[in-house]
Every structure is written in C-alpha cells, then in structure tokens.
Amino acid sequence: NAGVTQTPKFQVLKTGQSMTLQCAQDMNHNSMYWYRQDPGMGLRLIYYSASEGTTDKGEVPNGYNVSRLNKREFSLRLESAAPSQTSVYFCASSELKLGFYEQYFGPGTRLTVT
Amino acid sequence: AQSVTQLDSQVPVFEEAPVELRCNYSSSVSVYLFWYVQYPNQGLQLLLKYLSGSTLVKGINGFEAEFNKSQTSFHLRKPSVHISDTAEYFCAVSSFYNTDKLIFGTGTRLQVFP
C-alpha cells in the first residue's frame, strides 16, 4: 500500500496563477482532509470530505475549492493564488478504528506564491 | 469547541536526557487526545492516543503520555531521548461526539543534541 500520496511535492506560483493539488489514498477510507501548515500555527483544516460526493468547509476555506472525485481522490484548487497561501499543504484520510478516526497523512506539498 | 495549547515552541535537550513536552487542552465536552510526530520533510504520524481507561498511555519509540483531567493536560514524556527523536511534535484533540475532526496545537520542535 502506498498510503496517502500527494502531487506535486513542490510548486512555485506567481500571484494570480491557479493550480490544483492532487491527493489519493489506497486504504479505502471514507473521510479525507486538506490541511495547511504554517510556522507557529500548527495544522489548520481547510476542507473535509466525509464521503464521496460530500465536502465541508474547515477553519480556513477562503481562497480554496475542493473536489472529491471518487472515494480515492480529493483535490484542492487555488483559483487565484496569493502570497498568503504560501504554506505546506497536507492531505489526510481516516477510518473509524476502535471508536475514533485515525488520520493518515501524506508527505505534503510545499507551495510558494511570489 | 476545543482548543489545544502547546506551551513550548522549542525544546532543546541532550541525547540520553529525559524530556517532557507540555500540552493543555480546553473543552466543554469529553475528548480524545493524541500526539503526532512529524520528522523532517515528512507527513505526520500517530505517536499515541488517549481514548479512555488508564490515564498513562504508551506509544511508539518509547514515548508515553499522561492524561490529567483535573489539570486538562496531556504531557508527552520520554525517559531517555535519542538523536533520531529530533522532530516536531503536535498535540491534538477531538470531541467525543465529533471524532473525525482534529484540532491541533501549534507544535513543539524537539531538538536532540549529541
């Protein structure tokens, strides 16, 4: 099993450009998440998907859109990138295990917006 | 709503010394508590968790944590650290009623020196 995979690993964008971050999991999990990690702020939830076809906003959704294409894939789109979106983005998936959802994380995408 | 406070942003320590990373939480309902570890340039992985039962929980790599309900704390400890423990450590909480959403602390960078 590859677990959770993310592409690309690194990306540099100019202000105003758009891009899509891809995430896929091969663990047959229903729930998937997108987080951003900024120094001194920990991980903050951007969007969440409880199952194929459903998405919900997290703590910091402004400037992002998501698409749960199927059970495996959950993409994050920046329509018009801004320097404030420079961050490391993590995708995660989870399963209900012994009464709680254990989250498994991908390796991250480091995005710089100039 | 829940919140997590990690009081120390950085903890330097020499190899083979004991270490404690502090975590306090706030919640109006019962919670589950977690510690995640992030090694350089990697995603997060679950170190240990408290769901119920014994307040002292043991995790991977010799780490343990103690849940203290009266002090709303969940401090992480290791009696003797190794260079390979150098990483960022995140405390996280989820509500008993909403276990698929995690709230993360801001992280503590553990730096182990030879």
Side-chain angles (χ1 to χ4, degrees), chain A residues 46-110:
Chain A
I46 306 172
Y47 268 95
Y48 159 69
S49 171
S51 62
E52 183 180 348
T54 68
T55 60
D56 286 301
K57 293 178 181 179
E59 184 185 349
V60 288
N62 290 346
Y64 305 95
N65 285 305
V66 289
S67 179
R68 184 74 184 267
L69 304 166
N70 47 54
K71 193 170 186 180
R72 288 189 65 248
E73 297 171 291
F74 189 37
S75 61
L76 179 73
R77 183 158 178 84
L78 286 71
E79 290 292 351
S80 177
S84 60
Q85 294 178 304
T86 292
S87 188
V88 181
Y89 291 85
F90 288 100
C91 178
S93 68
S94 74
E95 61 172 356
L96 186 61
K97 193 176 189 179
L98 299 175
F100 80 102
Y101 283 83
E102 179 167 351
Q103 294 194 19
Y104 295 82
F105 286 81
T109 293
R110 190 174 294 274

